Structures are given as C-alpha cells and as structure tokens.
Amino acid sequence: MHLRRKLVAGNWKMNGSLGQLAEVSAIAEAARATGGVDVAVCPPFTLLAPALTRAGGITIGAQDCHAAASGPHTGCVSVPMLKEAGARLVICGHSERRADQHETDADVRAKAEAALGGGLVTIICVGESEAERAAGGHLARVEAQLAGSLPDDWEEGELVVAYEPIWAIGTGKVATAVDVAEMHAAIRAALVARYGDRGARVRILYGGSVKAENAAELFAVADVDGALVGGASLTAAQFVPIIEAAAAS
Ligand code: PEP
C-alpha cells in the first residue's frame, strides 16, 4: 500500500457466507479495473481464508485480533493466526467492540501493538457519541481516544486511523463536510504533534454511512484519505462506486 494513497476498506461485521464471496470476486475485479486506490474487505474470521482465494489484488483483513500470540483466551484469534489465514490488515477498536466487548483505549492499544508488530496494516477506530458532540466535547473525546489507543512504534504505511462518529454508523446519518474537515484536521494535528513528520503520512479514513451518493463529497475534504464502510461494502453494486469515487478524487 502506498503512503496516503486512498484506502477504501469494507467491514462486513457479522455478515456474509461462502455464497456471498462472489461479491469479493466482483469487488476485486472492479478494483483492478479502477486502479489507483487501496481496497480491503474485512469479512468474519471464518471467511478469511476462502475470501483470499477470491481477492485478486485487494487486501483481505480481519475485524479484531487478540493482543497475545497464543494462550488461554477462548474464542479469540491472534495476529499470527490471522496472518496464517491470509489477512494483511486488521481493524482495532471499532465502536461496536468498544461498546459490546467493553474494549478500553488500553485494550485497543495492546491489540494495535500486536497487529503492527506483526506487520499488519492496522486501522484504529475513534469517534464520539451523539451526546458528546451535542455537549461540544467531540474533539476532546477523540483526542483522548487517540492518546490512549495509538501505539508509539509502527512502520510507515501500516498505521491508519478511522474517524467514525458513533451516531453515523449504520444510521444513515452522515457527518457534514464541515464537521468531517474539523475532526480530520484535529486528528492530523494530534498525529503530527505526537509523531512529527511521520504523523503527516498516516492515513485518516472517515466512516459512518458512507454510500455512493455521499462518497465524492467526503473524499474531497482535506485529510480524508479514504473510507471505512460497513453496510455498503456487502455488495459490489454498492461498494464499487465508492471505490470509483475515491479513485476520481
Ligand atoms: C462501520 O461499521 O465501520 C461503518 C462505518 O458502518 P456503516 O458504513 O454501515 O455506517
């Protein structure tokens, strides 16, 4: 993956089946034809290996990992296991896991350290709740998540931040271009303050109800280096126009 070349990553969440992997083939074919954009699909763990056989040039990623390489952690999957299954990317700290599995910033950081240490492209998710935004605390909330969730060490190109306002995920509500610009500028400033020049080269994705209809406007915002897409990544018909919008931006 190139530095700050746009990345469009699909998060299938707990959706998908072997029968739906034809969508991965179609997405990969379109991504090849479009060119110029890094594309990833993150199916459930059970579909990683079979998805890889359909992936062509696109990246197959996972939606979570454990911080340890092995051990007594029933139901969990480690970075070496993901790599053996063919994953080259992982999402850490998605707001659904922060809420449902009570993942803290420290948990997310530990997972991200394991993933980056294992050479996986690592998307670390941050984002405020509707109440935090309404109270004017959205920037402080995200800055605190960045401070607590991001590791100190990573290889160029492998650390990615996704700004996903919780109220925009799966709701059809999208942050305005002005709100996205404000937050992405604040995230960039935090990255540069912490990592210097290297922070200027970290990709920052927007996520939250990204669709074909709003993708071009979002990709035109400064410091939007791609998208993390949930619902609209499940079919090539909905995902490919987002990839094409990224390529055209
Ligand atoms: C997500 O789950 O990361 C996401 C952004 O979902 P959706 O696109 O469905 O809002």
Side-chain angles (χ1 to χ4, degrees):
M1 293 188 178
H2 297 93
L3 299 180
R4 289 196 63 182
R5 186 159 103 139
K6 284 212 168 44
L7 167 62
V8 179
N11 172 14
W12 279 21
K13 311 191 185 190
M14 198 171 70
N15 298 294
S17 62
L18 285 174
Q20 280 171 262
L21 291 182
E23 299 296 337
V24 174
S25 308
I27 291 164
E29 195 179 323
R32 253 195 320 276
T34 305
V37 180
D38 292 331
V39 176
V41 172
C42 303
F45 292 135
T46 52
L47 294 178
L48 285 172
L52 196 66
T53 66
R54 315 289 192 100
I58 69 169
T59 298
I60 297 300
Q63 301 168 19
D64 180 48
C65 64
H66 197 279
S70 63
H73 305 291
T74 303
C76 299
V77 177
S78 72
V79 170
M81 292 168 181
L82 294 180
K83 289 173 67 176
E84 193 172 48
R88 293 290 170 266
L89 175 150
V90 65
I91 300 168
C92 291
H94 191 282
S95 60
E96 288 158 7
R97 293 197 61 84
R98 288 178 184 264
D100 298 350
Q101 276 74 37
H102 311 291
E103 288 187 4
T104 64
D105 287 339
D107 295 331
V108 175
R109 178 175 172 151
K111 287 170 185 240
E113 283 175 350
L116 290 161
L120 295 180
V121 173
T122 303
I123 301 177
I124 300 178
C125 300
V126 293
E128 82 285 357
S129 68
E130 197 153 29
E132 286 162 345
R133 177 165 282 273
H138 51 292
L139 294 178
R141 176 75 186 114
V142 166
E143 283 160 5
Q145 286 180 322
L146 291 171
S149 307
L150 266 51
D152 290 331
D153 298 322
W154 37 273
E155 295 294 323
E156 290 281 341
E158 291 185 350
L159 176 65
V160 180
V161 172
Y163 168 55
E164 299 205 301
I166 296 168
W167 47 271
I169 295 179
T171 58
K173 293 185 198 168
V174 189
T176 66
V178 172
D179 290 342
V180 173
E182 177 195 45
M183 184 60 81
H184 280 234
I187 293 172
R188 180 67 64 207
L191 291 169
V192 170
R194 178 150 169 197
Y195 302 116
D197 286 351
R198 301 179 79 211
R201 297 192 290 274
V202 172
R203 287 183 285 193
I204 308 172
L205 313 185
Y206 171 78
S209 298
V210 176
K211 307 259 183 282
E213 301 76 50
N214 56 31
E217 187 186 0
L218 290 163
F219 291 142
V221 175
D223 281 307
V224 172
D225 303 314
L228 182 54
V229 183
S233 70
L234 289 169
T235 63
Q238 293 181 81
F239 198 42
V240 170
I242 299 171
I243 296 167
E244 289 171 346
S249 66

